[in-house]
Amino acid sequence: MCDTAKRGTLFVYSGASGVGKGTIMKKLVERDKSICLSVSATTREPREGEINGVHYWFVSREEFDKMIDDDGFMEYATYCNNYYGTPKKAVEEKLAQGFNVFLEIEVKGALNIIEKYPDCVSIFVLPPSFETLEKRLRLRNTETEEQIRNRLETAMREIKLSEVYDYTVVNDDLDKAVEDVLSIVKEVTGKE
Ligand code: 5GP
């Protein structure tokens, strides 16, 4: 469980689209109850099966702008023509409750967080190869060809920036990648 006596650690968690970071994340929260995932706001359309308030807060552009004006985001960025932002209040509350909060965000937002919150711990998930990434993205079958190309170009730029992260984890084998992230959490929080 989370340690309510101690403030939790803020984790920045990134990886190219299709790398499997969402699947790893799902297993992380099942395995370690001190970990919780921040739910971002986005102007992107929900994909099939995505639930408002669980996967994202799906908002209009106007609602997003209002949250910016109200200083409601820790960071926000555009990614492939949509807006994504991390709600500040919810993350602060979870950290105060002792949870280790993961922000699953793209690199521009991540670089902002790393600068603003120097105590955060950053993890980047890498694909075993660029070809594997392209294959996974196509198999997922949730984007148009143009969107896939756009995401692959973005992925190439993002992978180049992975060197600014504290840790990189290669998602070759899912269970191994989950173990690797759990070890990082244990190492930096000093908990078994
Ligand atoms: P997707 O559309 O595939 O759900 O997400 C696209 C990208 O936006 C992913 O890299 C995801 O991690 C990132 N993302 C999700 N939420 C946020 C956020 O709140 N802020 C930022 N900067 N990126 C986000």
Side-chain angles (χ1 to χ4, degrees), residues 4 15 17 29 47 49 71 80 86 103 120 132 135 138 149 157 162 168 182 185:
T4 48
S17 190
V29 291
R47 293 191 192 121
D71 193 25
C80 298
T86 305
L103 309 183
C120 75
T132 322
K135 208 166 124 198
R138 289 188 187 285
R149 280 179 194 285
R157 282 200 300 276
S162 63
T168 51
L182 287 174
V185 175

Side-chain angles (χ1 to χ4, degrees), residues 4-135:
T4 48
K6 189 175 161 239
R7 188 178 162 81
T9 301
L10 181 65
F11 286 84
V12 171
Y13 174 75
S14 306
S17 190
V19 76
K21 60 185 185 304
T23 314
I24 297 174
M25 193 64 231
K26 231 173 115 194
K27 290 193 172 259
L28 290 175
V29 291
E30 282 166 13
R31 290 279 305 279
D32 184 338
K33 298 297 175 208
S34 78
I35 296 177
C36 86
L37 176 64
S38 153
V39 180
S40 296
T42 183
T43 61
R44 158 164 92 56
E45 288 295 314
R47 293 191 192 121
E48 210 182 309
E50 284 185 328
I51 301 164
N52 192 37
V54 175
H55 299 94
Y56 280 107
W57 296 105
F58 294 100
V59 298
S60 65
R61 183 60 206 281
E62 290 70 32
E63 287 168 315
F64 199 95
D65 285 345
K66 168 101 176 44
M67 287 178 81
I68 297 175
D69 290 344
D70 292 346
D71 193 25
F73 290 123
M74 286 173 80
E75 62 72 40
Y76 67 92
T78 54
Y79 180 92
C80 298
N81 306 321
N82 287 304
Y83 282 75
Y84 296 82
T86 305
K88 196 188 274 179
K89 193 162 166 270
V91 172
E92 282 299 339
E93 280 172 4
K94 288 287 179 191
L95 287 172
Q97 288 165 11
F99 284 98
N100 295 312
V101 182
F102 271 59
L103 309 183
E104 188 181 324
I105 60 180
E106 52 67 63
V107 290
K108 281 176 287 176
L111 295 179
N112 278 333
I113 294 284
I114 292 168
E115 200 182 311
K116 273 206 264 182
Y117 303 84
D119 289 343
C120 75
V121 177
S122 52
I123 304 173
F124 193 95
V125 183
L126 287 166
S129 69
F130 198 73
E131 289 70 32
T132 322
L133 187 71
E134 179 165 1
K135 208 166 124 198

